[in-house]
Structures are given as C-alpha cells and as structure tokens.
Amino acid sequence: MGLRAVFLDRDKTILMPKGREKYIYRAEDFHIPDNFIEALRRLIDQDYLLFVITNQGRIAKGYLTEKDVEELHNSLDSILKDNGVYISEYEYCPHNPRGSLYPYNIICECRKPKTGMIDSIRNSYEIEVSNSWMIGDSYKDILAGNKAGLRTIQVLTGAESYTHDADFVEADLVKAVNRILTEK
Ligand SMILES: [Zn+2]
C-alpha cells in the first residue's frame, strides 16, 4: 500500500492575492485565510502527504526570480508549520516557452498541464495515485491531475469558469477538503 497525497496548486487555490493585486510574486503579496490553514491541517490529521506544485512561468518573463519564489515558500512554510501543517515538498516550474529570459524560455516537462512535477514527487515518495488528489483552480491543474491518475477537484476561487474534466467542482479549499474526507 502506497501513501496517500494531496497535490495542491498554489495561487488562488491555497493563497489569495492581497488587495487588488492580480498576481502573487513575493511574500508580501499573499494572504492565506485561517480556515484554509485549518482545512490543510485536517488532511495532515488524516495522514495525507501534502505537496504544492505551482507554475511560475512569469519567471521566464522577468517578473520575478527563483529567489523570490523560494523566499515566498519559506515564508508560507513558517506560517503553516506554526499551525501544524507540514508540506512535504514545494515544486515550481519556472519555464514558459513564450518568455524572453534564457534559460527559462523553453518547452519543459514540468509546466502544468504536463505531469512532470507530479511524476517526480510520485517517484521519490511511494504515492498511491488512485487514493490521491489534485486540487486547483485552473483547467491546467485538472488536466495534469487526470493525466497522472489522481482524482481531481477544481476550486472556484480563481477567475476560471469551471471545467467538465474535474471529478468534482467545489467553491473553495475548505469545501474541497470536505469532499476528500467524505469520498475517501
Ligand atoms: Zn518547467
């Protein structure tokens, strides 16, 4: 028996942009609601491993750097740890073939909807995909999750309209976690 995991998209899934910001680039740009943290802790309590997988293709366009992403993840991680939530890995894809910045402007295997980030985690941990989940706001998250064999939940906290490809569509992360804990 492998381990159960929940793969989480980051922006507009677990983190909300602060104020009128549209994008989350740096630690000061995000807000994480208390009930989202509480929801993640309920997954930890049920022995799910948590992984954050995020496309950060705007690195390839020069809007932020890998250092910014790592600082943000450190800042997020300390907030979560203080609340009993342990993320096993943070993975990001810095690539975008439409960017201008070498060496990031390439076609890679990690940018969602490709499954590279999920595959590499799945290979390092013994993840049983049929009992594991992908939660994200974007159709790219859902396509990646489906291709990797995960069950998928689209949350409607992003601007995207809903996709027919997700196994479930829920209002937000709290509802998505409720779904996982009732479906298991
Ligand atoms: Zn990539």
Coordinates of all heavy atoms in Angstrom, one line a residue, residues 32-100:
I32 N -3.4 34.1 3.3 CA -3.9 32.7 3.4 C -5.0 32.7 4.5 O -4.7 33.0 5.6 CB -2.8 31.6 3.6 CG1 -3.5 30.2 3.7 CG2 -1.9 31.9 4.8 CD1 -2.5 29.1 3.5
P33 N -6.2 32.5 4.1 CA -7.3 32.5 5.1 C -7.1 31.5 6.2 O -6.6 30.4 5.9 CB -8.6 32.2 4.3 CG -8.2 32.5 2.9 CD -6.7 32.2 2.7
D34 N -7.5 31.8 7.4 CA -7.4 30.9 8.6 C -8.1 29.5 8.3 O -7.6 28.5 8.7 CB -7.9 31.5 9.9 CG -7.0 32.6 10.4 OD1 -5.9 32.7 9.9 OD2 -7.5 33.4 11.2
N35 N -9.3 29.6 7.7 CA -10.0 28.3 7.5 C -9.3 27.5 6.4 O -9.5 26.3 6.4 CB -11.5 28.6 7.3 CG -11.8 29.4 6.0 OD1 -10.9 30.0 5.5 ND2 -13.0 29.4 5.6
F36 N -8.5 28.1 5.6 CA -7.7 27.2 4.6 C -6.6 26.5 5.4 O -6.4 25.3 5.1 CB -7.1 28.1 3.5 CG -8.0 28.6 2.5 CD1 -9.4 28.6 2.7 CD2 -7.5 29.0 1.2 CE1 -10.3 29.1 1.7 CE2 -8.4 29.5 0.2 CZ -9.8 29.5 0.4
I37 N -6.0 27.2 6.3 CA -4.9 26.5 7.1 C -5.5 25.4 7.9 O -5.0 24.3 7.9 CB -4.2 27.5 8.0 CG1 -3.5 28.6 7.2 CG2 -3.2 26.8 8.9 CD1 -2.9 29.7 8.0
E38 N -6.7 25.6 8.5 CA -7.4 24.6 9.3 C -7.7 23.4 8.4 O -7.6 22.2 8.8 CB -8.6 25.3 9.9 CG -9.6 24.3 10.5 CD -9.0 23.6 11.7 OE1 -8.2 24.2 12.4 OE2 -9.5 22.5 12.0
A39 N -8.2 23.7 7.2 CA -8.5 22.6 6.2 C -7.3 21.7 5.9 O -7.4 20.5 5.9 CB -9.1 23.2 5.0
L40 N -6.2 22.4 5.7 CA -4.9 21.6 5.4 C -4.5 20.8 6.6 O -4.1 19.6 6.4 CB -3.8 22.6 5.0 CG -4.0 23.4 3.7 CD1 -2.9 24.3 3.5 CD2 -4.1 22.4 2.5
R41 N -4.8 21.3 7.8 CA -4.4 20.5 9.0 C -5.3 19.3 9.1 O -4.8 18.2 9.6 CB -4.5 21.4 10.2 CG -3.8 20.7 11.4 CD -3.6 21.7 12.6 NE -4.9 22.2 13.0 CZ -5.1 23.5 13.2 NH1 -4.1 24.4 13.2 NH2 -6.3 24.0 13.6
R42 N -6.5 19.4 8.7 CA -7.4 18.2 8.7 C -6.9 17.1 7.8 O -7.0 15.9 8.1 CB -8.8 18.6 8.4 CG -9.5 19.4 9.5 CD -10.7 20.1 9.0 NE -11.7 19.2 8.5 CZ -12.6 19.5 7.5 NH1 -12.5 20.7 6.9 NH2 -13.5 18.7 7.1
L43 N -6.3 17.5 6.7 CA -5.7 16.5 5.8 C -4.5 15.8 6.4 O -4.3 14.6 6.4 CB -5.3 17.1 4.4 CG -6.4 17.6 3.5 CD1 -5.8 18.3 2.3 CD2 -7.3 16.4 3.1
I44 N -3.6 16.7 7.1 CA -2.5 16.1 7.8 C -2.9 15.1 8.9 O -2.4 14.1 9.0 CB -1.7 17.3 8.5 CG1 -1.1 18.2 7.4 CG2 -0.7 16.8 9.5 CD1 0.2 17.7 6.8
D45 N -4.0 15.5 9.6 CA -4.5 14.6 10.7 C -5.0 13.3 10.1 O -5.0 12.3 10.8 CB -5.7 15.3 11.4 CG -5.3 16.5 12.2 OD1 -4.1 16.6 12.5 OD2 -6.2 17.3 12.6
Q46 N -5.4 13.3 8.8 CA -5.8 12.0 8.2 C -4.7 11.3 7.4 O -4.9 10.5 6.6 CB -7.0 12.3 7.3 CG -8.2 12.7 8.0 CD -8.8 11.7 9.0 OE1 -8.9 10.5 8.6 NE2 -9.1 12.1 10.2
D47 N -3.4 11.7 7.7 CA -2.2 11.1 7.2 C -2.1 11.3 5.7 O -1.5 10.4 5.0 CB -2.2 9.6 7.5 CG -2.0 9.4 9.0 OD1 -1.3 10.2 9.6 OD2 -2.6 8.4 9.5
Y48 N -2.6 12.4 5.1 CA -2.3 12.7 3.7 C -0.9 13.5 3.7 O -0.7 14.4 4.5 CB -3.3 13.6 3.1 CG -4.6 12.9 2.7 CD1 -5.7 12.7 3.6 CD2 -4.7 12.3 1.4 CE1 -6.8 12.0 3.2 CE2 -5.8 11.6 1.1 CZ -6.9 11.5 1.9 OH -8.0 10.8 1.6
L49 N -0.1 13.1 2.8 CA 1.1 14.0 2.5 C 0.6 15.1 1.6 O -0.2 14.9 0.7 CB 2.2 13.2 1.7 CG 2.8 12.0 2.5 CD1 3.9 11.4 1.6 CD2 3.5 12.5 3.8
L50 N 1.2 16.3 1.9 CA 0.8 17.5 1.1 C 2.0 17.9 0.2 O 3.1 18.1 0.7 CB 0.3 18.6 2.0 CG -0.8 18.3 3.0 CD1 -1.2 19.6 3.7 CD2 -2.0 17.7 2.2
F51 N 1.7 18.3 -1.0 CA 2.7 18.8 -2.0 C 2.1 20.0 -2.7 O 1.0 20.0 -3.1 CB 3.0 17.7 -3.0 CG 3.6 16.5 -2.4 CD1 2.8 15.4 -2.2 CD2 5.0 16.4 -2.1 CE1 3.4 14.2 -1.6 CE2 5.5 15.3 -1.5 CZ 4.7 14.2 -1.3
V52 N 2.9 21.1 -2.7 CA 2.5 22.3 -3.5 C 3.2 22.2 -4.9 O 4.4 22.0 -4.9 CB 2.9 23.5 -2.7 CG1 2.7 24.8 -3.6 CG2 2.1 23.7 -1.5
I53 N 2.4 22.3 -5.9 CA 3.0 22.3 -7.3 C 2.5 23.5 -8.0 O 1.3 23.7 -8.2 CB 2.8 21.0 -8.1 CG1 1.3 20.6 -8.2 CG2 3.5 19.8 -7.4 CD1 1.1 19.4 -9.1
T54 N 3.4 24.4 -8.4 CA 2.9 25.7 -9.0 C 3.7 26.0 -10.3 O 4.9 25.9 -10.3 CB 3.1 26.8 -7.9 OG1 2.7 28.0 -8.5 CG2 4.5 26.9 -7.3
N55 N 2.9 26.5 -11.3 CA 3.6 27.1 -12.5 C 4.0 28.5 -12.1 O 3.2 29.3 -11.7 CB 2.6 27.2 -13.6 CG 2.3 25.9 -14.3 OD1 2.9 24.9 -14.0 ND2 1.5 25.9 -15.3
Q56 N 5.3 28.8 -12.3 CA 5.7 30.2 -12.1 C 6.4 30.6 -13.4 O 7.6 31.1 -13.4 CB 6.7 30.3 -10.9 CG 5.9 30.0 -9.6 CD 4.8 31.0 -9.2 OE1 5.0 32.2 -9.5 NE2 3.7 30.6 -8.7
G57 N 5.7 30.5 -14.5 CA 6.2 30.8 -15.8 C 6.6 32.3 -16.0 O 7.3 32.7 -16.9
R58 N 6.1 33.1 -15.1 CA 6.4 34.5 -15.2 C 7.8 34.8 -14.8 O 8.3 35.9 -15.1 CB 5.4 35.4 -14.4 CG 4.0 35.3 -15.2 CD 2.9 36.0 -14.4 NE 2.9 37.4 -14.5 CZ 2.3 38.1 -15.5 NH1 1.8 37.4 -16.5 NH2 2.4 39.4 -15.6
I59 N 8.5 33.8 -14.3 CA 10.0 33.9 -14.1 C 10.6 34.1 -15.5 O 11.5 34.9 -15.7 CB 10.5 32.7 -13.4 CG1 10.1 32.7 -11.9 CG2 12.0 32.6 -13.5 CD1 10.5 31.4 -11.2
A60 N 10.1 33.3 -16.5 CA 10.6 33.4 -17.8 C 10.4 34.7 -18.5 O 10.9 35.0 -19.6 CB 10.1 32.2 -18.6
K61 N 9.4 35.5 -17.9 CA 9.1 36.8 -18.5 C 9.8 37.9 -17.7 O 9.6 39.1 -18.0 CB 7.6 37.0 -18.5 CG 6.9 36.0 -19.5 CD 5.4 36.3 -19.6 CE 4.9 35.4 -20.7 NZ 3.4 35.6 -20.9
G62 N 10.5 37.5 -16.6 CA 11.3 38.5 -15.9 C 10.5 39.3 -14.8 O 11.0 40.2 -14.2
Y63 N 9.3 38.8 -14.4 CA 8.5 39.5 -13.4 C 9.0 39.1 -12.0 O 8.7 39.9 -11.1 CB 7.0 39.2 -13.5 CG 6.4 39.8 -14.7 CD1 6.2 39.1 -15.9 CD2 5.9 41.1 -14.7 CE1 5.6 39.7 -17.0 CE2 5.3 41.7 -15.8 CZ 5.2 41.0 -17.0 OH 4.6 41.5 -18.0
L64 N 9.6 38.0 -11.9 CA 10.1 37.6 -10.6 C 11.2 36.6 -10.8 O 11.4 36.1 -11.9 CB 9.0 37.0 -9.7 CG 8.4 35.6 -10.0 CD1 7.6 35.1 -8.8 CD2 7.6 35.5 -11.3
T65 N 11.9 36.3 -9.7 CA 13.1 35.4 -9.8 C 12.8 34.1 -9.0 O 11.9 34.0 -8.2 CB 14.3 36.1 -9.2 OG1 14.1 36.3 -7.8 CG2 14.6 37.4 -9.9
E66 N 13.7 33.1 -9.3 CA 13.6 31.9 -8.5 C 13.8 32.2 -7.0 O 13.2 31.6 -6.1 CB 14.6 30.9 -8.9 CG 14.4 30.4 -10.3 CD 15.1 29.0 -10.6 OE1 14.7 28.0 -9.9 OE2 16.0 29.0 -11.5
K67 N 14.6 33.2 -6.7 CA 14.9 33.6 -5.3 C 13.6 34.1 -4.7 O 13.3 33.8 -3.5 CB 16.0 34.6 -5.2 CG 16.4 35.0 -3.9 CD 17.8 35.7 -3.9 CE 18.1 36.3 -2.6 NZ 17.5 37.6 -2.3
D68 N 12.8 34.9 -5.4 CA 11.5 35.4 -4.9 C 10.6 34.2 -4.6 O 9.9 34.2 -3.5 CB 10.8 36.2 -6.0 CG 11.5 37.6 -6.2 OD1 12.1 38.1 -5.3 OD2 11.5 38.0 -7.4
V69 N 10.6 33.2 -5.5 CA 9.7 32.1 -5.2 C 10.1 31.3 -4.0 O 9.3 31.0 -3.1 CB 9.7 31.1 -6.5 CG1 8.9 29.8 -6.2 CG2 9.2 31.8 -7.7
E70 N 11.4 31.1 -3.9 CA 11.9 30.4 -2.7 C 11.7 31.1 -1.4 O 11.3 30.5 -0.4 CB 13.4 30.0 -2.9 CG 13.5 28.8 -3.8 CD 14.8 28.7 -4.6 OE1 15.8 29.3 -4.2 OE2 14.8 28.0 -5.6
E71 N 11.8 32.4 -1.4 CA 11.6 33.2 -0.2 C 10.1 33.2 0.2 O 9.7 33.1 1.3 CB 12.0 34.7 -0.4 CG 13.5 34.9 -0.3 CD 14.0 36.3 -0.6 OE1 13.1 37.2 -0.9 OE2 15.2 36.5 -0.6
L72 N 9.2 33.2 -0.9 CA 7.8 33.1 -0.6 C 7.5 31.8 0.0 O 6.7 31.7 1.0 CB 7.0 33.3 -1.9 CG 5.5 33.5 -1.7 CD1 4.9 34.3 -2.9 CD2 4.7 32.2 -1.6
H73 N 8.1 30.7 -0.5 CA 7.8 29.4 0.0 C 8.3 29.2 1.5 O 7.6 28.6 2.3 CB 8.3 28.3 -0.9 CG 7.6 28.2 -2.2 ND1 8.0 27.4 -3.3 CD2 6.4 28.7 -2.6 CE1 7.1 27.5 -4.2 NE2 6.1 28.3 -3.8
N74 N 9.4 29.8 1.8 CA 9.9 29.8 3.1 C 9.0 30.5 4.1 O 8.7 30.1 5.2 CB 11.3 30.5 3.2 CG 12.4 29.6 2.6 OD1 12.2 28.4 2.5 ND2 13.5 30.2 2.2
S75 N 8.5 31.7 3.6 CA 7.6 32.5 4.4 C 6.2 31.7 4.7 O 5.8 31.6 5.8 CB 7.4 33.8 3.8 OG 6.2 34.4 4.1
L76 N 5.7 31.2 3.6 CA 4.5 30.4 3.7 C 4.7 29.2 4.6 O 3.9 28.9 5.5 CB 4.0 29.9 2.3 CG 2.9 28.9 2.2 CD1 1.6 29.5 2.8 CD2 2.7 28.5 0.8
D77 N 5.8 28.5 4.4 CA 6.1 27.3 5.2 C 6.2 27.6 6.7 O 5.7 26.8 7.5 CB 7.4 26.7 4.7 CG 7.5 25.2 5.1 OD1 6.5 24.5 4.8 OD2 8.5 24.8 5.7
S78 N 6.7 28.8 7.1 CA 6.8 29.0 8.5 C 5.4 29.4 9.1 O 5.1 28.9 10.2 CB 7.9 30.1 8.8 OG 7.4 31.4 8.5
I79 N 4.6 30.0 8.3 CA 3.2 30.2 8.8 C 2.5 28.9 9.0 O 1.8 28.6 10.0 CB 2.4 31.1 7.7 CG1 3.0 32.5 7.7 CG2 0.9 31.1 8.1 CD1 2.5 33.3 6.5
L80 N 2.6 28.0 8.0 CA 1.9 26.7 8.0 C 2.4 25.9 9.2 O 1.7 25.3 9.9 CB 2.1 26.0 6.7 CG 1.3 26.6 5.5 CD1 1.6 25.9 4.2 CD2 -0.2 26.7 5.8
K81 N 3.8 25.8 9.3 CA 4.3 25.0 10.4 C 3.9 25.4 11.8 O 3.6 24.6 12.6 CB 5.9 25.0 10.3 CG 6.4 24.0 9.3 CD 7.9 23.9 9.4 CE 8.4 22.8 8.4 NZ 9.7 23.3 7.8
D82 N 3.8 26.8 11.9 CA 3.3 27.3 13.2 C 1.9 26.8 13.5 O 1.5 26.9 14.7 CB 3.3 28.9 13.2 CG 4.7 29.4 13.3 OD1 5.6 28.7 13.6 OD2 4.9 30.7 13.0
N83 N 1.2 26.4 12.5 CA -0.2 25.9 12.7 C -0.3 24.4 12.5 O -1.4 23.9 12.2 CB -1.1 26.7 11.7 CG -1.3 28.2 12.1 OD1 -2.0 28.4 13.0 ND2 -0.5 29.1 11.5
G84 N 0.8 23.7 12.5 CA 0.7 22.3 12.5 C 0.5 21.7 11.1 O 0.1 20.5 10.9
V85 N 0.8 22.5 10.0 CA 0.7 22.0 8.7 C 2.1 21.8 8.1 O 2.8 22.8 8.0 CB -0.2 22.9 7.8 CG1 -0.2 22.5 6.4 CG2 -1.6 23.1 8.4
Y86 N 2.4 20.6 7.7 CA 3.7 20.3 7.1 C 3.5 19.9 5.6 O 2.9 19.0 5.3 CB 4.4 19.1 7.9 CG 4.5 19.5 9.3 CD1 3.5 19.2 10.2 CD2 5.6 20.3 9.7 CE1 3.6 19.6 11.6 CE2 5.7 20.7 11.0 CZ 4.7 20.4 12.0 OH 4.8 20.8 13.3
I87 N 4.1 20.7 4.8 CA 4.2 20.5 3.3 C 5.4 19.7 3.0 O 6.5 20.1 3.4 CB 4.2 21.8 2.5 CG1 3.0 22.7 2.9 CG2 4.3 21.5 1.0 CD1 1.7 22.3 2.5
S88 N 5.2 18.5 2.4 CA 6.4 17.6 2.1 C 7.4 18.2 1.1 O 8.6 18.0 1.3 CB 5.9 16.2 1.7 OG 5.1 15.7 2.7
E89 N 6.8 18.8 0.1 CA 7.7 19.4 -1.0 C 6.9 20.6 -1.6 O 5.7 20.5 -1.8 CB 8.0 18.5 -2.1 CG 8.7 17.2 -1.8 CD 10.2 17.3 -1.8 OE1 10.7 18.3 -2.2 OE2 10.8 16.3 -1.5
Y90 N 7.7 21.6 -1.9 CA 7.2 22.7 -2.8 C 7.9 22.6 -4.1 O 9.2 22.6 -4.2 CB 7.6 24.1 -2.2 CG 6.9 24.4 -0.9 CD1 7.4 23.9 0.3 CD2 5.7 25.2 -0.9 CE1 6.8 24.3 1.5 CE2 5.1 25.6 0.3 CZ 5.6 25.1 1.5 OH 5.0 25.4 2.7
E91 N 7.2 22.4 -5.2 CA 7.8 22.3 -6.5 C 7.2 23.4 -7.4 O 6.0 23.7 -7.3 CB 7.5 21.0 -7.2 CG 8.1 19.8 -6.5 CD 9.2 19.1 -7.4 OE1 9.3 19.5 -8.6 OE2 9.8 18.2 -6.9
Y92 N 8.1 24.0 -8.1 CA 7.6 25.1 -9.1 C 8.3 24.9 -10.4 O 9.4 24.4 -10.5 CB 7.8 26.5 -8.5 CG 9.3 26.9 -8.4 CD1 10.0 27.5 -9.4 CD2 10.0 26.6 -7.2 CE1 11.3 27.9 -9.3 CE2 11.3 27.0 -7.0 CZ 12.0 27.6 -8.1 OH 13.3 27.9 -7.9
C93 N 7.5 25.3 -11.5 CA 8.1 25.3 -12.8 C 8.3 26.7 -13.2 O 7.4 27.5 -13.3 CB 7.1 24.6 -13.8 SG 7.5 25.1 -15.5
P94 N 9.6 27.0 -13.5 CA 10.0 28.4 -13.8 C 9.9 28.7 -15.4 O 10.2 29.8 -15.8 CB 11.4 28.5 -13.4 CG 12.0 27.1 -13.6 CD 10.8 26.2 -13.4
H95 N 9.4 27.7 -16.1 CA 9.5 27.8 -17.6 C 8.3 28.4 -18.2 O 7.2 28.3 -17.7 CB 9.8 26.4 -18.1 CG 10.9 25.7 -17.5 ND1 10.8 24.5 -16.7 CD2 12.3 26.0 -17.5 CE1 12.0 24.2 -16.3 NE2 12.9 25.0 -16.7
N96 N 8.5 29.0 -19.4 CA 7.4 29.4 -20.3 C 8.1 29.6 -21.6 O 8.9 30.5 -21.8 CB 6.8 30.7 -19.7 CG 5.6 31.0 -20.6 OD1 5.4 30.6 -21.7 ND2 4.6 31.8 -20.0
P97 N 7.7 28.8 -22.6 CA 8.3 29.0 -24.0 C 8.0 30.3 -24.6 O 8.7 30.8 -25.4 CB 7.6 27.9 -24.8 CG 6.4 27.4 -24.0 CD 6.7 27.7 -22.6
R98 N 7.0 31.1 -24.1 CA 6.7 32.4 -24.6 C 7.5 33.5 -23.9 O 7.3 34.7 -24.2 CB 5.2 32.7 -24.6 CG 4.4 31.7 -25.5 CD 2.9 32.1 -25.5 NE 2.3 32.0 -24.2 CZ 1.9 30.9 -23.7 NH1 2.0 29.7 -24.3 NH2 1.3 30.9 -22.5
G99 N 8.3 33.1 -22.9 CA 9.1 34.1 -22.2 C 10.3 34.5 -23.0 O 10.5 34.0 -24.0
S100 N 11.0 35.5 -22.4 CA 12.1 36.0 -23.2 C 13.5 35.7 -22.5 O 14.5 36.0 -23.0 CB 12.0 37.6 -23.3 OG 11.8 38.1 -22.0

